[in-house]
Amino acid sequence: MPRAKRAKAAPAADPERDAENQLRNIGRGVVSPILFDAERRAEMGLPESEEERGDYLVELNILYHGGLGEAAEAFKAMWEELFGARGSAARGKTSPQPPRPVSKSYFHIALSVEEWTRLVQYDEEVGKKDRGRRVIYKLWPDFKVKALIDRSVATVKGDAAYNAFSASGSGITWAVVDSGIDGTHPHFGSARDAENSVLFHPNVAQLHRDFSNGADEDAPLPKGKMHPALVDGYGHGTQVAGIIAGQLPATFTELPARGKASAARGKSFAVYQQSVATNDDGSRRSESAPVRRMVRRPQALRGVASGCRLVSLKVMDDNGQCRVSDVMRALAYIRETLNDSPKLLRVHGVNISIGYDFDAQMFA
């Protein structure tokens, strides 16, 4: 008779590993697995340590049974239950900063991996029987944003549109979400001649806002000082604004060639052109020496649509740093404040020449 096979003994339970696997399986549709990877977190500007708090965004469930307004209140109640004075004191930890609204459907939070894991787990338990009671749709890193390369007027055929159709952008207002726009730059006019100014025209003069570093966009401004959104310590936003609507005033005259006198009045300028070759990743491969280029008239130095107005929405600091939540607050300001009525669009378009690297594991 064949011998009966001896049953193999079940492997000994490993409570620590089981607990770790349970954490990794929490809300797999809500939290990307790469957020549990210390190295990947560091790549996204988040702490490697699971105990250190980092910047994240909570996206609310738009299918919440009571709508987004009730979802936001439910999220704040859940937060208080877990991390309020009573909740955190029971665990011997200091309470994290309260969640900061970014828009109707997003909150900025500063939590550790251990803390947001508990947050997602709590929400998952509430919504087991009724998914309409789930508050959190997705947990995102509050990505760090950087300035991106800009292209010239010719690339978008702006020069052809102007030459063929006199398309100057008159009557159009464009928002620039960037590092601010230099309000003293001659390419945008001045407050003394507001009617002909890109930034100080009465239609836009009161619309500029500073969202950089979580700034309070409604903070009162000191009298006699330039609006913070019209101060650009990094320079990228001013460059972008110049491409969109910059124009050299007619009072400027070109510097004469060497050895030639000039009786022209007003401020003088010189134009230099430099060619830059880039690699596929955008890094510089080579560049030519600056060569002076002759311009027949100052008005020829213009952006895509020099007749439009610009609204400066500053999100980057003087080092060119910001987070996604700052950009989202700027966009919410346009959508929910400036363009809140479908009868009137105060801003007709937005330029965002900033961003962060695409991650297929996060977004696919």
Tab-separated table of all heavy atoms in Angstrom, residues 299-360:
chain	number	residue	atom	x	y	z
A	299	GLN	N	8.571	98.671	-32.203
A	299	GLN	CA	7.330	97.909	-32.140
A	299	GLN	C	7.484	96.493	-32.693
A	299	GLN	O	6.634	95.636	-32.461
A	299	GLN	CB	6.218	98.644	-32.905
A	299	GLN	CG	5.818	99.960	-32.265
A	299	GLN	CD	6.656	101.126	-32.772
A	299	GLN	OE1	7.795	100.926	-33.208
A	299	GLN	NE2	6.112	102.328	-32.715
A	300	ALA	N	8.571	96.249	-33.434
A	300	ALA	CA	8.786	94.905	-33.984
A	300	ALA	C	9.154	93.913	-32.882
A	300	ALA	O	9.022	92.708	-33.064
A	300	ALA	CB	9.879	94.941	-35.048
A	301	LEU	N	9.631	94.433	-31.762
A	301	LEU	CA	9.952	93.560	-30.622
A	301	LEU	C	8.679	93.384	-29.795
A	301	LEU	O	8.369	94.184	-28.926
A	301	LEU	CB	11.068	94.173	-29.780
A	301	LEU	CG	12.433	94.257	-30.453
A	301	LEU	CD1	13.420	94.951	-29.537
A	301	LEU	CD2	12.933	92.868	-30.823
A	302	ARG	N	7.951	92.339	-30.082
A	302	ARG	CA	6.659	92.139	-29.445
A	302	ARG	C	6.420	90.664	-29.178
A	302	ARG	O	7.037	89.784	-29.782
A	302	ARG	CB	5.541	92.681	-30.349
A	302	ARG	CG	5.522	92.064	-31.743
A	302	ARG	CD	4.493	92.717	-32.653
A	302	ARG	NE	3.165	92.646	-32.095
A	302	ARG	CZ	2.391	91.567	-32.154
A	302	ARG	NH1	2.838	90.458	-32.726
A	302	ARG	NH2	1.188	91.582	-31.647
A	303	GLY	N	5.472	90.404	-28.273
A	303	GLY	CA	5.095	89.037	-27.968
A	303	GLY	C	4.005	88.542	-28.896
A	303	GLY	O	3.692	89.145	-29.919
A	304	VAL	N	3.403	87.429	-28.537
A	304	VAL	CA	2.365	86.807	-29.366
A	304	VAL	C	1.174	87.728	-29.536
A	304	VAL	O	0.639	87.877	-30.630
A	304	VAL	CB	1.915	85.468	-28.739
A	304	VAL	CG1	0.750	84.874	-29.520
A	304	VAL	CG2	3.078	84.481	-28.696
A	305	ALA	N	0.725	88.347	-28.438
A	305	ALA	CA	-0.494	89.166	-28.479
A	305	ALA	C	-0.311	90.373	-27.580
A	305	ALA	O	-0.785	90.414	-26.446
A	305	ALA	CB	-1.699	88.346	-28.034
A	306	SER	N	0.403	91.377	-28.088
A	306	SER	CA	0.763	92.532	-27.262
A	306	SER	C	-0.434	93.393	-26.895
A	306	SER	O	-0.320	94.282	-26.050
A	306	SER	CB	1.806	93.385	-27.999
A	306	SER	OG	1.302	93.806	-29.260
A	307	GLY	N	-1.591	93.144	-27.514
A	307	GLY	CA	-2.770	93.947	-27.192
A	307	GLY	C	-3.602	93.387	-26.063
A	307	GLY	O	-4.577	94.008	-25.634
A	308	CYS	N	-3.239	92.211	-25.539
A	308	CYS	CA	-4.048	91.630	-24.465
A	308	CYS	C	-3.586	92.143	-23.103
A	308	CYS	O	-2.586	92.843	-22.984
A	308	CYS	CB	-3.997	90.103	-24.524
A	308	CYS	SG	-2.505	89.366	-23.835
A	309	ARG	N	-4.343	91.816	-22.071
A	309	ARG	CA	-3.990	92.175	-20.693
A	309	ARG	C	-3.551	90.915	-19.959
A	309	ARG	O	-3.984	89.806	-20.291
A	309	ARG	CB	-5.189	92.799	-19.967
A	309	ARG	CG	-5.910	93.881	-20.741
A	309	ARG	CD	-5.026	95.045	-21.081
A	309	ARG	NE	-5.721	96.060	-21.863
A	309	ARG	CZ	-5.127	97.010	-22.553
A	309	ARG	NH1	-3.816	97.094	-22.559
A	309	ARG	NH2	-5.831	97.892	-23.245
A	310	LEU	N	-2.724	91.103	-18.932
A	310	LEU	CA	-2.217	89.961	-18.179
A	310	LEU	C	-2.582	90.059	-16.706
A	310	LEU	O	-2.562	91.144	-16.121
A	310	LEU	CB	-0.690	89.868	-18.296
A	310	LEU	CG	-0.112	89.605	-19.691
A	310	LEU	CD1	1.410	89.517	-19.615
A	310	LEU	CD2	-0.685	88.335	-20.285
A	311	VAL	N	-2.926	88.906	-16.131
A	311	VAL	CA	-3.143	88.783	-14.690
A	311	VAL	C	-2.023	87.909	-14.146
A	311	VAL	O	-1.853	86.765	-14.584
A	311	VAL	CB	-4.506	88.150	-14.381
A	311	VAL	CG1	-4.648	87.900	-12.876
A	311	VAL	CG2	-5.633	89.049	-14.866
A	312	SER	N	-1.259	88.436	-13.212
A	312	SER	CA	-0.145	87.690	-12.631
A	312	SER	C	-0.624	86.907	-11.416
A	312	SER	O	-1.079	87.494	-10.428
A	312	SER	CB	0.990	88.630	-12.224
A	312	SER	OG	2.027	87.903	-11.584
A	313	LEU	N	-0.507	85.586	-11.483
A	313	LEU	CA	-0.824	84.711	-10.358
A	313	LEU	C	0.484	84.036	-9.945
A	313	LEU	O	0.926	83.078	-10.570
A	313	LEU	CB	-1.883	83.683	-10.746
A	313	LEU	CG	-3.201	84.275	-11.254
A	313	LEU	CD1	-4.200	83.179	-11.572
A	313	LEU	CD2	-3.790	85.261	-10.252
A	314	LYS	N	1.099	84.589	-8.925
A	314	LYS	CA	2.431	84.138	-8.512
A	314	LYS	C	2.322	82.879	-7.658
A	314	LYS	O	1.638	82.870	-6.635
A	314	LYS	CB	3.124	85.259	-7.724
A	314	LYS	CG	4.553	84.934	-7.313
A	314	LYS	CD	5.188	86.151	-6.663
A	314	LYS	CE	6.633	85.899	-6.276
A	314	LYS	NZ	7.275	87.126	-5.744
A	315	VAL	N	3.018	81.812	-8.069
A	315	VAL	CA	3.033	80.574	-7.296
A	315	VAL	C	4.453	80.149	-6.931
A	315	VAL	O	4.648	79.417	-5.960
A	315	VAL	CB	2.337	79.427	-8.077
A	315	VAL	CG1	0.865	79.732	-8.274
A	315	VAL	CG2	3.009	79.179	-9.424
A	316	MET	N	5.453	80.603	-7.690
A	316	MET	CA	6.840	80.216	-7.436
A	316	MET	C	7.558	81.256	-6.580
A	316	MET	O	7.291	82.451	-6.696
A	316	MET	CB	7.604	80.059	-8.754
A	316	MET	CG	7.298	78.780	-9.501
A	316	MET	SD	8.347	78.627	-10.964
A	316	MET	CE	8.269	76.855	-11.199
A	317	ASP	N	8.473	80.781	-5.739
A	317	ASP	CA	9.266	81.712	-4.940
A	317	ASP	C	10.490	82.164	-5.731
A	317	ASP	O	10.637	81.857	-6.916
A	317	ASP	CB	9.669	81.072	-3.600
A	317	ASP	CG	10.521	79.815	-3.778
A	317	ASP	OD1	11.109	79.622	-4.870
A	317	ASP	OD2	10.601	79.021	-2.823
A	318	ASP	N	11.393	82.883	-5.075
A	318	ASP	CA	12.562	83.450	-5.764
A	318	ASP	C	13.546	82.381	-6.234
A	318	ASP	O	14.456	82.674	-7.019
A	318	ASP	CB	13.288	84.437	-4.845
A	318	ASP	CG	12.481	85.706	-4.615
A	318	ASP	OD1	11.445	85.869	-5.292
A	318	ASP	OD2	12.866	86.522	-3.748
A	319	ASN	N	13.380	81.137	-5.754
A	319	ASN	CA	14.242	80.038	-6.186
A	319	ASN	C	13.568	79.160	-7.235
A	319	ASN	O	14.097	78.104	-7.599
A	319	ASN	CB	14.643	79.182	-4.978
A	319	ASN	CG	15.440	79.954	-3.953
A	319	ASN	OD1	16.390	80.660	-4.306
A	319	ASN	ND2	15.067	79.849	-2.685
A	320	GLY	N	12.406	79.586	-7.703
A	320	GLY	CA	11.688	78.794	-8.694
A	320	GLY	C	11.050	77.553	-8.126
A	320	GLY	O	10.846	76.569	-8.843
A	321	GLN	N	10.703	77.587	-6.834
A	321	GLN	CA	10.124	76.425	-6.174
A	321	GLN	C	8.659	76.683	-5.816
A	321	GLN	O	8.289	77.784	-5.416
A	321	GLN	CB	10.898	76.096	-4.892
A	321	GLN	CG	12.355	75.745	-5.111
A	321	GLN	CD	12.529	74.425	-5.819
A	321	GLN	OE1	11.823	73.461	-5.545
A	321	GLN	NE2	13.485	74.359	-6.742
A	322	CYS	N	7.837	75.661	-5.968
A	322	CYS	CA	6.460	75.709	-5.467
A	322	CYS	C	5.907	74.303	-5.471
A	322	CYS	O	6.590	73.356	-5.864
A	322	CYS	CB	5.584	76.649	-6.304
A	322	CYS	SG	4.951	75.955	-7.844
A	323	ARG	N	4.676	74.165	-5.013
A	323	ARG	CA	4.032	72.856	-4.993
A	323	ARG	C	2.743	72.901	-5.793
A	323	ARG	O	2.203	73.977	-6.075
A	323	ARG	CB	3.768	72.394	-3.557
A	323	ARG	CG	5.047	72.053	-2.798
A	323	ARG	CD	4.768	71.309	-1.513
A	323	ARG	NE	6.003	70.875	-0.872
A	323	ARG	CZ	6.625	69.734	-1.136
A	323	ARG	NH1	6.113	68.913	-2.044
A	323	ARG	NH2	7.741	69.403	-0.525
A	324	VAL	N	2.253	71.731	-6.132
A	324	VAL	CA	1.034	71.620	-6.926
A	324	VAL	C	-0.126	72.343	-6.260
A	324	VAL	O	-0.950	72.969	-6.928
A	324	VAL	CB	0.692	70.128	-7.145
A	324	VAL	CG1	-0.719	69.972	-7.676
A	324	VAL	CG2	1.665	69.509	-8.141
A	325	SER	N	-0.188	72.280	-4.930
A	325	SER	CA	-1.317	72.904	-4.232
A	325	SER	C	-1.362	74.411	-4.461
A	325	SER	O	-2.450	74.999	-4.515
A	325	SER	CB	-1.252	72.601	-2.727
A	325	SER	OG	-0.016	73.022	-2.171
A	326	ASP	N	-0.191	75.053	-4.604
A	326	ASP	CA	-0.166	76.491	-4.883
A	326	ASP	C	-0.749	76.779	-6.265
A	326	ASP	O	-1.502	77.737	-6.457
A	326	ASP	CB	1.269	77.028	-4.799
A	326	ASP	CG	1.886	76.836	-3.430
A	326	ASP	OD1	1.156	77.004	-2.433
A	326	ASP	OD2	3.086	76.511	-3.350
A	327	VAL	N	-0.405	75.934	-7.237
A	327	VAL	CA	-0.941	76.088	-8.591
A	327	VAL	C	-2.449	75.860	-8.584
A	327	VAL	O	-3.211	76.597	-9.227
A	327	VAL	CB	-0.255	75.112	-9.560
A	327	VAL	CG1	-0.845	75.236	-10.961
A	327	VAL	CG2	1.250	75.360	-9.598
A	328	MET	N	-2.889	74.866	-7.845
A	328	MET	CA	-4.320	74.556	-7.790
A	328	MET	C	-5.117	75.695	-7.150
A	328	MET	O	-6.233	76.005	-7.573
A	328	MET	CB	-4.538	73.251	-7.036
A	328	MET	CG	-4.001	72.039	-7.776
A	328	MET	SD	-4.128	70.522	-6.823
A	328	MET	CE	-5.896	70.339	-6.740
A	329	ARG	N	-4.544	76.339	-6.150
A	329	ARG	CA	-5.241	77.472	-5.525
A	329	ARG	C	-5.383	78.619	-6.516
A	329	ARG	O	-6.408	79.310	-6.551
A	329	ARG	CB	-4.492	77.941	-4.279
A	329	ARG	CG	-4.615	76.990	-3.099
A	329	ARG	CD	-4.199	77.643	-1.800
A	329	ARG	NE	-2.847	78.135	-1.841
A	329	ARG	CZ	-2.431	79.279	-1.305
A	329	ARG	NH1	-3.312	80.101	-0.734
A	329	ARG	NH2	-1.169	79.639	-1.355
A	330	ALA	N	-4.343	78.816	-7.333
A	330	ALA	CA	-4.408	79.872	-8.354
A	330	ALA	C	-5.497	79.565	-9.373
A	330	ALA	O	-6.269	80.454	-9.776
A	330	ALA	CB	-3.050	80.020	-9.038
A	331	LEU	N	-5.591	78.306	-9.805
A	331	LEU	CA	-6.619	77.922	-10.774
A	331	LEU	C	-8.016	78.000	-10.171
A	331	LEU	O	-8.982	78.376	-10.850
A	331	LEU	CB	-6.336	76.511	-11.293
A	331	LEU	CG	-5.037	76.340	-12.088
A	331	LEU	CD1	-4.835	74.881	-12.482
A	331	LEU	CD2	-5.036	77.234	-13.319
A	332	ALA	N	-8.126	77.643	-8.879
A	332	ALA	CA	-9.426	77.752	-8.215
A	332	ALA	C	-9.861	79.211	-8.122
A	332	ALA	O	-11.052	79.528	-8.233
A	332	ALA	CB	-9.350	77.130	-6.817
A	333	TYR	N	-8.896	80.118	-7.924
A	333	TYR	CA	-9.190	81.557	-7.874
A	333	TYR	C	-9.790	82.025	-9.201
A	333	TYR	O	-10.765	82.782	-9.239
A	333	TYR	CB	-7.915	82.322	-7.551
A	333	TYR	CG	-7.971	83.817	-7.781
A	333	TYR	CD1	-8.780	84.635	-6.986
A	333	TYR	CD2	-7.201	84.410	-8.791
A	333	TYR	CE1	-8.824	86.004	-7.200
A	333	TYR	CE2	-7.237	85.772	-9.002
A	333	TYR	CZ	-8.050	86.573	-8.203
A	333	TYR	OH	-8.100	87.938	-8.425
A	334	ILE	N	-9.233	81.531	-10.312
A	334	ILE	CA	-9.773	81.898	-11.625
A	334	ILE	C	-11.174	81.321	-11.801
A	334	ILE	O	-12.118	82.038	-12.151
A	334	ILE	CB	-8.853	81.389	-12.746
A	334	ILE	CG1	-7.486	82.072	-12.672
A	334	ILE	CG2	-9.485	81.643	-14.115
A	334	ILE	CD1	-6.468	81.501	-13.633
A	335	ARG	N	-11.296	80.029	-11.540
A	335	ARG	CA	-12.565	79.342	-11.821
A	335	ARG	C	-13.678	79.765	-10.870
A	335	ARG	O	-14.828	79.959	-11.302
A	335	ARG	CB	-12.348	77.816	-11.721
A	335	ARG	CG	-13.616	76.986	-11.890
A	335	ARG	CD	-14.180	77.139	-13.283
A	335	ARG	NE	-15.415	76.389	-13.437
A	335	ARG	CZ	-16.619	76.846	-13.111
A	335	ARG	NH1	-16.750	78.062	-12.616
A	335	ARG	NH2	-17.690	76.096	-13.286
A	336	GLU	N	-13.369	79.917	-9.596
A	336	GLU	CA	-14.415	80.112	-8.597
A	336	GLU	C	-14.611	81.562	-8.169
A	336	GLU	O	-15.618	81.892	-7.554
A	336	GLU	CB	-14.116	79.244	-7.368
A	336	GLU	CG	-14.092	77.756	-7.697
A	336	GLU	CD	-13.559	76.898	-6.563
A	336	GLU	OE1	-13.437	77.442	-5.433
A	336	GLU	OE2	-13.258	75.713	-6.787
A	337	THR	N	-13.648	82.422	-8.504
A	337	THR	CA	-13.776	83.839	-8.128
A	337	THR	C	-13.909	84.734	-9.359
A	337	THR	O	-14.895	85.443	-9.511
A	337	THR	CB	-12.572	84.292	-7.278
A	337	THR	OG1	-12.492	83.474	-6.104
A	337	THR	CG2	-12.735	85.746	-6.854
A	338	LEU	N	-12.913	84.690	-10.232
A	338	LEU	CA	-12.929	85.590	-11.387
A	338	LEU	C	-13.946	85.158	-12.441
A	338	LEU	O	-14.645	85.998	-13.018
A	338	LEU	CB	-11.535	85.664	-12.013
A	338	LEU	CG	-10.414	86.178	-11.098
A	338	LEU	CD1	-9.118	86.316	-11.886
A	338	LEU	CD2	-10.794	87.514	-10.468
A	339	ASN	N	-14.042	83.863	-12.699
A	339	ASN	CA	-14.955	83.364	-13.735
A	339	ASN	C	-16.122	82.591	-13.125
A	339	ASN	O	-16.584	81.600	-13.685
A	339	ASN	CB	-14.197	82.451	-14.716
A	339	ASN	CG	-13.263	83.216	-15.622
A	339	ASN	OD1	-13.239	84.442	-15.623
A	339	ASN	ND2	-12.478	82.510	-16.401
A	340	ASP	N	-16.595	83.058	-11.977
A	340	ASP	CA	-17.662	82.316	-11.297
A	340	ASP	C	-19.006	82.451	-11.995
A	340	ASP	O	-19.904	81.627	-11.809
A	340	ASP	CB	-17.788	82.764	-9.842
A	340	ASP	CG	-18.095	84.253	-9.718
A	340	ASP	OD1	-17.727	85.004	-10.632
A	340	ASP	OD2	-18.689	84.661	-8.700
A	341	SER	N	-19.181	83.481	-12.810
A	341	SER	CA	-20.430	83.659	-13.543
A	341	SER	C	-20.225	83.308	-15.010
A	341	SER	O	-19.312	83.832	-15.649
A	341	SER	CB	-20.931	85.103	-13.439
A	341	SER	OG	-22.040	85.312	-14.309
A	342	PRO	N	-21.068	82.432	-15.582
A	342	PRO	CA	-20.926	82.087	-16.999
A	342	PRO	C	-21.262	83.248	-17.933
A	342	PRO	O	-20.979	83.184	-19.126
A	342	PRO	CB	-21.921	80.931	-17.175
A	342	PRO	CG	-22.930	81.128	-16.088
A	342	PRO	CD	-22.172	81.713	-14.938
A	343	LYS	N	-21.839	84.314	-17.393
A	343	LYS	CA	-22.200	85.462	-18.216
A	343	LYS	C	-20.997	86.328	-18.561
A	343	LYS	O	-21.051	87.113	-19.506
A	343	LYS	CB	-23.250	86.318	-17.497
A	343	LYS	CG	-24.580	85.616	-17.273
A	343	LYS	CD	-25.565	86.526	-16.575
A	343	LYS	CE	-26.905	85.839	-16.350
A	343	LYS	NZ	-27.877	86.726	-15.656
A	344	LEU	N	-19.921	86.201	-17.762
A	344	LEU	CA	-18.755	87.061	-17.992
A	344	LEU	C	-17.473	86.314	-17.667
A	344	LEU	O	-17.286	85.856	-16.534
A	344	LEU	CB	-18.843	88.325	-17.124
A	344	LEU	CG	-17.602	89.233	-17.159
A	344	LEU	CD1	-17.421	89.830	-18.547
A	344	LEU	CD2	-17.718	90.334	-16.111
A	345	LEU	N	-16.604	86.184	-18.647
A	345	LEU	CA	-15.277	85.618	-18.423
A	345	LEU	C	-14.298	86.768	-18.250
A	345	LEU	O	-14.013	87.501	-19.201
A	345	LEU	CB	-14.853	84.746	-19.605
A	345	LEU	CG	-15.587	83.424	-19.800
A	345	LEU	CD1	-15.019	82.685	-21.007
A	345	LEU	CD2	-15.489	82.549	-18.569
A	346	ARG	N	-13.809	86.928	-17.035
A	346	ARG	CA	-12.818	87.984	-16.808
A	346	ARG	C	-11.424	87.527	-17.234
A	346	ARG	O	-10.561	88.341	-17.527
A	346	ARG	CB	-12.830	88.389	-15.335
A	346	ARG	CG	-14.198	88.867	-14.881
A	346	ARG	CD	-14.217	89.204	-13.409
A	346	ARG	NE	-13.534	90.469	-13.142
A	346	ARG	CZ	-13.414	90.984	-11.918
A	346	ARG	NH1	-13.924	90.346	-10.880
A	346	ARG	NH2	-12.799	92.127	-11.742
A	347	VAL	N	-11.203	86.228	-17.229
A	347	VAL	CA	-9.948	85.642	-17.709
A	347	VAL	C	-10.298	84.646	-18.802
A	347	VAL	O	-11.103	83.742	-18.601
A	347	VAL	CB	-9.188	84.934	-16.564
A	347	VAL	CG1	-7.996	84.163	-17.113
A	347	VAL	CG2	-8.726	85.947	-15.519
A	348	HIS	N	-9.685	84.814	-19.983
A	348	HIS	CA	-10.043	83.994	-21.134
A	348	HIS	C	-9.115	82.799	-21.336
A	348	HIS	O	-9.433	81.896	-22.109
A	348	HIS	CB	-10.027	84.851	-22.402
A	348	HIS	CG	-10.964	86.016	-22.330
A	348	HIS	ND1	-10.560	87.262	-21.872
A	348	HIS	CD2	-12.284	86.130	-22.616
A	348	HIS	CE1	-11.605	88.092	-21.906
A	348	HIS	NE2	-12.652	87.436	-22.356
A	349	GLY	N	-7.982	82.797	-20.694
A	349	GLY	CA	-7.052	81.674	-20.838
A	349	GLY	C	-5.957	81.746	-19.795
A	349	GLY	O	-5.777	82.770	-19.120
A	350	VAL	N	-5.238	80.654	-19.636
A	350	VAL	CA	-4.198	80.545	-18.608
A	350	VAL	C	-2.937	79.965	-19.219
A	350	VAL	O	-3.002	79.030	-20.028
A	350	VAL	CB	-4.654	79.632	-17.446
A	350	VAL	CG1	-3.592	79.583	-16.356
A	350	VAL	CG2	-5.982	80.092	-16.880
A	351	ASN	N	-1.790	80.521	-18.863
A	351	ASN	CA	-0.500	79.958	-19.265
A	351	ASN	C	0.184	79.342	-18.052
A	351	ASN	O	0.386	80.011	-17.036
A	351	ASN	CB	0.404	81.035	-19.866
A	351	ASN	CG	1.674	80.431	-20.445
A	351	ASN	OD1	1.731	80.101	-21.620
A	351	ASN	ND2	2.692	80.253	-19.610
A	352	ILE	N	0.532	78.055	-18.179
A	352	ILE	CA	1.258	77.359	-17.109
A	352	ILE	C	2.497	76.725	-17.737
A	352	ILE	O	2.434	75.614	-18.257
A	352	ILE	CB	0.389	76.279	-16.429
A	352	ILE	CG1	-0.933	76.877	-15.956
A	352	ILE	CG2	1.134	75.649	-15.258
A	352	ILE	CD1	-1.863	75.863	-15.312
A	353	SER	N	3.599	77.439	-17.719
A	353	SER	CA	4.856	76.917	-18.267
A	353	SER	C	5.716	76.352	-17.149
A	353	SER	O	6.923	76.580	-17.080
A	353	SER	CB	5.611	78.020	-19.020
A	353	SER	OG	4.914	78.390	-20.180
A	354	ILE	N	5.071	75.629	-16.248
A	354	ILE	CA	5.760	74.978	-15.137
A	354	ILE	C	5.170	73.581	-15.014
A	354	ILE	O	4.129	73.282	-15.585
A	354	ILE	CB	5.577	75.756	-13.813
A	354	ILE	CG1	4.087	75.901	-13.473
A	354	ILE	CG2	6.215	77.130	-13.900
A	354	ILE	CD1	3.820	76.641	-12.182
A	355	GLY	N	5.841	72.708	-14.298
A	355	GLY	CA	5.320	71.362	-14.150
A	355	GLY	C	6.290	70.461	-13.417
A	355	GLY	O	7.257	70.917	-12.824
A	356	TYR	N	6.020	69.149	-13.478
A	356	TYR	CA	6.894	68.174	-12.838
A	356	TYR	C	6.938	66.931	-13.726
A	356	TYR	O	6.131	66.786	-14.653
A	356	TYR	CB	6.408	67.825	-11.426
A	356	TYR	CG	4.949	67.421	-11.340
A	356	TYR	CD1	4.561	66.101	-11.531
A	356	TYR	CD2	3.983	68.364	-11.065
A	356	TYR	CE1	3.230	65.735	-11.449
A	356	TYR	CE2	2.643	68.010	-10.981
A	356	TYR	CZ	2.282	66.687	-11.177
A	356	TYR	OH	0.963	66.322	-11.092
A	357	ASP	N	7.866	66.057	-13.436
A	357	ASP	CA	8.085	64.887	-14.290
A	357	ASP	C	6.913	63.921	-14.221
A	357	ASP	O	6.338	63.679	-13.155
A	357	ASP	CB	9.372	64.162	-13.877
A	357	ASP	CG	10.606	65.030	-14.080
A	357	ASP	OD1	10.551	65.892	-14.966
A	357	ASP	OD2	11.589	64.857	-13.351
A	358	PHE	N	6.570	63.343	-15.369
A	358	PHE	CA	5.493	62.349	-15.430
A	358	PHE	C	5.991	61.025	-14.848
A	358	PHE	O	7.105	60.589	-15.120
A	358	PHE	CB	5.073	62.143	-16.883
A	358	PHE	CG	4.059	61.051	-17.066
A	358	PHE	CD1	2.706	61.296	-16.825
A	358	PHE	CD2	4.443	59.784	-17.459
A	358	PHE	CE1	1.771	60.293	-16.988
A	358	PHE	CE2	3.512	58.779	-17.630
A	358	PHE	CZ	2.172	59.028	-17.394
A	359	ASP	N	5.159	60.415	-14.026
A	359	ASP	CA	5.484	59.129	-13.421
A	359	ASP	C	4.411	58.126	-13.818
A	359	ASP	O	3.268	58.222	-13.384
A	359	ASP	CB	5.570	59.263	-11.894
A	359	ASP	CG	6.159	58.022	-11.242
A	359	ASP	OD1	5.657	56.920	-11.528
A	359	ASP	OD2	7.106	58.142	-10.440
A	360	ALA	N	4.774	57.138	-14.645
A	360	ALA	CA	3.782	56.198	-15.171
A	360	ALA	C	3.134	55.384	-14.056
A	360	ALA	O	1.944	55.084	-14.109
A	360	ALA	CB	4.457	55.263	-16.171
